[in-house]
């Protein structure tokens, strides 16, 4: 497989989308969670405009339940690139009474993120948000446009999307509305890792095998943290694990792994019998349309 | 940084294809089968399908459940909007634009086909070609999809009969010529059981051609140099030290360091002083790569300009004849309609001057019409408030394609394929190129 060529084409498309949105919209921002997809997206933004600096800020919606390694990585990358970091804090939204602290066995703040995200968009007047979402992640994502229009309430209407033809994207919005732009739409998990390898992109250490205290819940390995209450049956064990996705600590599962390098991770993914989100995201298990429902509300 | 070369993108790598078929032709099942038999599905995806099939009371694994992503689609058992799916084999990676079959979703088929190298048109072996098969073939032809596969499905329900397949394939072949389709490959399949999808069918020993997957793995994709150089200027990068670069995605041809080129609209001849790819300086780069070009001369460059080959520039015109696929349910296109045309990296005002005809995609007849409604395809004249630099769509999808936008709603309301640019300078319109 001539992988370099495929990656070159995907890169060219992603760069095209980044430049197009930067050219046509007034106030874009790039959603950066510290995860592998947004790390790749940030690298592409760097490449699309150089030698000029990235012409928009980076936005992180911080659930307050992040892995320490991710926050450290976020701050370091942003510092290296000299881009402005805007943080929207879910904790602040909870404290301000904008959203309730989730309760229950899976007290994920993922859904609460939507409120913080939309408040932050309004506060800063962003009219475009780049995201690292891929259409291979989930079947509702498979339906999404590269430039996805959101109304004044941040809502996505899957039945009324703008047709996208050739490489022409319609990013026109009225005040208060915005677009979500997904330059990695056509990338797969494997493409992202191949690009990480080709470009030597640094990722948080979570993505590689390390010893960590975990416990099992509904077949998923969760990291021990002060954000999750364990029941007495949920015993802590120390295992060699890594993370395939990076999100809220309360709903992001680890996988048993000995893969310590990018090449070993790629080999492991090639052999795994389970998808990325199926293996590691509790928030998608809430029903067959969990992602679709969150996205309709404005979730990224 | 070392100087590297990013030239031709060889035939393998990545194939984009669109699938089209009427509601019960088994399109979702075919895609499910393709993913399943090429071992592109993982355990949790299969479990989800198994679970959903059980809940619906189906006895067998309903592979169609894999592809219907929206709640309403699963509830109604139909596909509403284009979905994109990804899989790969040892030989090639694939992007499927999975487009709905209903006549009312013509716009989605057009959307999916706009970026496809290949289209699969499904037909049910028991019913032969239907109005929908014809519609899909016509759309593939209009969009200039390079390769078309006629997949004659449900051969199991037609007794795996060779003559059934051959009759349908012949019918399709006759029509393909009339609508200007390029290479057509017909393959008899039974998606439900997997015959000739990934594995050759023991039930159809008379068929000696490739299985569907083999064909997809080996068909030639676009070649890098498919026309003279076209680089729509997308973004002008200015940086400290006086750096000025024209950034954009090559719409055709190869850009080379030192090459002479023409800047439009100024008409200035200049040279490529330096060429940057996303990875740094390169000596040459081919479509569809994104590049940044630095010019040898001090030319004033803006987004919406075009850099092109000196010897064969596109036509600049404010009057176009185009084939239009109307995509808005809320509003019809009529002579006098005012819209925006987005063409390459430029957006201009457009007025519909004439409606030449509406195309009956079943009979291929051009009928007089006074408006185009949702999913109608027709010929129209457009007048623009400033000229665009364009090629006929038949020569270049990117400099020949456009979309119309309704300025009051910001909706994308039409796909435009430029047939010819007409100029009015010498008093009478004349065809370009």
């Amino acid at each position: 497989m001539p992988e370099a060529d495929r990656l070159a084409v995907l890169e060219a498309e992603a760069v095209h989308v980044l430049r197009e949105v930067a050219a046509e919209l007034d106030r874009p921002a790039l959603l950066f969670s510290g995860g592998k997809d947004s790390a790749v997206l940030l690298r592409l933004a760097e490449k699309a405009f150089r030698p000029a600096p990235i012409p928009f800020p980076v936005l992180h919606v911080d659930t307050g339940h992040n892995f320490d390694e991710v926050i450290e990585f976020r701050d370091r990358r942003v510092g290296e690139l000299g881009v402005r970091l805007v943080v929207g804090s879910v904790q602040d939204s909870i404290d301000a009474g904008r959203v309730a602290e989730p309760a229950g066995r899976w007290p994920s703040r993922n859904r609460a993120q939507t409120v913080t995200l939309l408040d932050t968009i309004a506060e800063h007047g962003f009219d475009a948000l780049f995201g690292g979402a891929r259409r291979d992640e989930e079947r509702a994502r498979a339906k999404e446009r590269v430039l996805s229009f959101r109304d004044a309430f941040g809502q996505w209407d899957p039945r009324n999307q703008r047709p996208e033809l050739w490489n022409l994207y319609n990013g026109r919005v009225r005040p208060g509305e915005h677009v979500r732009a997904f330059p990695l739409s056509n990338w797969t998990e494997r493409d992202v890792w191949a690009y990480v390898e080709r470009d030597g992109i640094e990722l948080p250490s979570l993505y590689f095998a390390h010893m960590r205290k975990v416990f099992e819940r509904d077949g998923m390995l969760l990291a021990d943290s002060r954000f999750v209450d364990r029941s007495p049956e949920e015993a802590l064990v120390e295992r060699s694990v890594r993370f395939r996705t990076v999100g809220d600590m309360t709903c992001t599962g680890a996988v048993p792994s000995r893969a310590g390098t990018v090449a070993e991770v790629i080999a492991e993914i090639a052999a795994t019998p389970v998808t990325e989100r199926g293996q590691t995201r509790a928030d998608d298990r809430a029903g067959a349309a969990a992602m679709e429902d969150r996205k309709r509300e404005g979730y990224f | 940084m070392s100087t590297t070369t990013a030239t031709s993108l060889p035939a393998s790598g990545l194939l984009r294809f669109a699938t089209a078929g009427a509601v019960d032709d088994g399109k979702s099942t075919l895609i499910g089968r393709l993913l399943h038999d090429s071992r592109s599905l993982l355990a949790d995806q299969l479990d989800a399908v198994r679970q959903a099939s059980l809940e619906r009371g189906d006895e067998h694994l309903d592979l169609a459940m894999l592809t219907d992503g929206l709640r309403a689609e699963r509830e109604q058992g139909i596909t509403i909007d284009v979905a994109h799916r990804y899989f790969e084999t040892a030989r090639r990676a694939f992007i499927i634009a999975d487009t709905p079959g209903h006549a009312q979703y013509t716009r989605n088929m057009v959307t999916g086909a706009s970026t496809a190298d290949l289209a699969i048109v499904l037909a049910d072996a028991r019913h032969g070609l239907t109005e929908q098969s014809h519609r899909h073939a016509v759309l593939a032809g209009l969009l200039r999809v390079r390769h078309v596969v006629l997949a004659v499905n449900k051969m199991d329900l037609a007794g795996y009969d060779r003559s059934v397949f051959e009759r349908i394939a012949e019918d399709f072949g006759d029509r393909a010529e009339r609508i200007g389709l390029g290479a057509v490959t017909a393959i008899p399949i039974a998606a439900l059981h997997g015959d000739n999808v990934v594995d050759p069918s023991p039930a159809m020993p008379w068929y000696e051609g490739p299985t569907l997957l083999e064909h997809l793995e080996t068909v030639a994709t676009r070649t890098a140099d498919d026309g003279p150089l076209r680089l729509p200027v997308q973004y002008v990068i200015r940086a400290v030290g006086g750096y000025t670069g024209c950034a954009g995605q090559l719409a055709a041809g190869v850009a080379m360091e030192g090459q002479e080129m023409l800047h439009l609209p100024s008409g200035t001849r200049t040279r490529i002083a330096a060429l940057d790819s996303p990875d740094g300086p390169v000596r040459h780069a081919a479509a569809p790569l994104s590049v940044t070009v630095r010019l040898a001369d001090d030319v004033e460059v803006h987004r919406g300009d075009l850099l092109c080959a000196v010897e064969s520039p596109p036509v600049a015109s404010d009057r176009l004849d185009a084939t239009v696929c109307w995509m808005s349910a809320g509003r019809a296109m009529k002579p006098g309609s005012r819209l925006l045309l987005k063409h390459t990296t430029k957006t201009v005002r457009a007025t519909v001057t004439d409606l030449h005809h509406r195309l009956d995609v079943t009979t291929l007849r051009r009928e007089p019409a006074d408006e185009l409604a949702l999913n109608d395809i027709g010929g129209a004249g457009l007048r623009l408030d400033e000229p665009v630099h364009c090629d006929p769509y038949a020569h270049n999808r990117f400099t020949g394609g456009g979309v119309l936008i309704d300025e009051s709603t910001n909706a994308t309301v039409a796909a435009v394929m430029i047939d010819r640019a007409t100029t009015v300078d010498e008093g009478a319109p004349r065809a370009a190129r």
Side-chain angles (χ1 to χ4, degrees), chain B residues 53 58-63 192:
Chain B
S53 301
D58 291 344
E59 286 188 6
H60 62 274
L61 203 60
D62 183 0
L63 289 171
L192 190 63

Side-chain angles (χ1 to χ4, degrees), chain B residues 334-349:
Chain B
K334 296 174 183 166
S337 294
R338 288 166 183 275
L339 298 150
L340 297 173
L341 171 70
K342 183 164 185 181
H343 171 259
T344 66
T345 56
K346 190 167 183 160
T347 303
V348 299
R349 282 173 202 286

